Amino acid sequence: MLTLANFRIRFPEFNLVPDVRVQMYLDDAVPFTTNPPLKFSIAPSQDIAQGFVAAHWLVTLPQYDLGGNLITLAVGSSAISAKIKVGQIDIEDSSSSGATAGNSDYFKEFNASIYGKRYLEILRTYAQSVNTLTSTTKYVPTKVGSIL
């Protein structure tokens, strides 16, 4: 799990957002980086994926300081491009009945920021590796006692 301190190091552009709000988004992001609901593991990249989900919410939802004043984040066009669509990102999990990220409502919101798109890239990478393993690994039964 990504700590608040490590989030601040990786994403210094959010230093104006109060710790309690960032921690809330980090906590809320955990279900988006664990299995289930993903049905495949992204364990090696789980911390950074959690950070991307939290950062996505920080830039797509209005942020306020502890006094209730709206915060204007110093996030330039290189860090967020909420209006630019780069294309369709299709992610299939290892089960045929699972959601397809980028196409379902569950994941569609992540196309609204560069952070969300990076999260979807992580999911796509792991989903492709799971699909490759499951589609190329075949069980070939052998007869007991047979000599080849």
Side-chain angles (χ1 to χ4, degrees):
M1 226 164 105
L2 187 63
T3 65
L4 178 63
N6 285 339
F7 179 87
R8 295 283 189 203
I9 292 167
R10 287 182 184 266
F11 302 96
E13 60 269 37
F14 299 108
N15 285 339
L16 292 178
V17 181
D19 287 350
V20 66
R21 186 168 299 270
V22 173
Q23 187 61 58
M24 176 188 71
Y25 286 127
L26 285 171
D27 294 343
D28 290 349
V30 170
F32 288 83
T33 61
T34 57
N35 63 323
L38 292 181
K39 299 182 183 173
F40 56 88
S41 176
I42 62 169
S45 298
Q46 188 170 349
D47 286 356
I48 192 62
Q50 181 187 8
F52 284 136
V53 171
H56 166 76
W57 288 329
L58 285 165
V59 297
T60 58
L61 302 173
Q63 301 305 317
Y64 299 90
D65 64 17
L66 295 177
N69 303 307
L70 185 64
I71 298 172
T72 302
L73 296 172
V75 179
S77 60
S78 64
I80 178 172
S81 53
K83 301 292 182 190
I84 298 173
K85 293 202 173 190
V86 179
Q88 194 83 10
I89 299 175
D90 294 324
I91 302 169
E92 294 182 5
D93 64 20
S94 58
S95 73
S96 59
S97 63
T100 303
N103 294 331
S104 74
D105 290 337
Y106 186 77
F107 291 100
K108 194 177 291 183
E109 73 164 282
F110 293 105
N111 284 312
S113 78
I114 192 66
Y115 301 108
K117 289 175 184 175
R118 294 290 305 273
Y119 166 68
L120 292 177
E121 288 173 15
I122 291 171
L123 293 187
R124 181 180 57 217
T125 300
Y126 285 93
Q128 286 174 346
S129 66
V130 167
N131 288 338
T132 300
L133 287 174
T134 58
S135 65
T136 59
T137 306
K138 296 182 179 179
Y139 171 72
V140 179
T142 57
K143 295 179 183 175
V144 177
S146 66
I147 300 174
L148 299 176

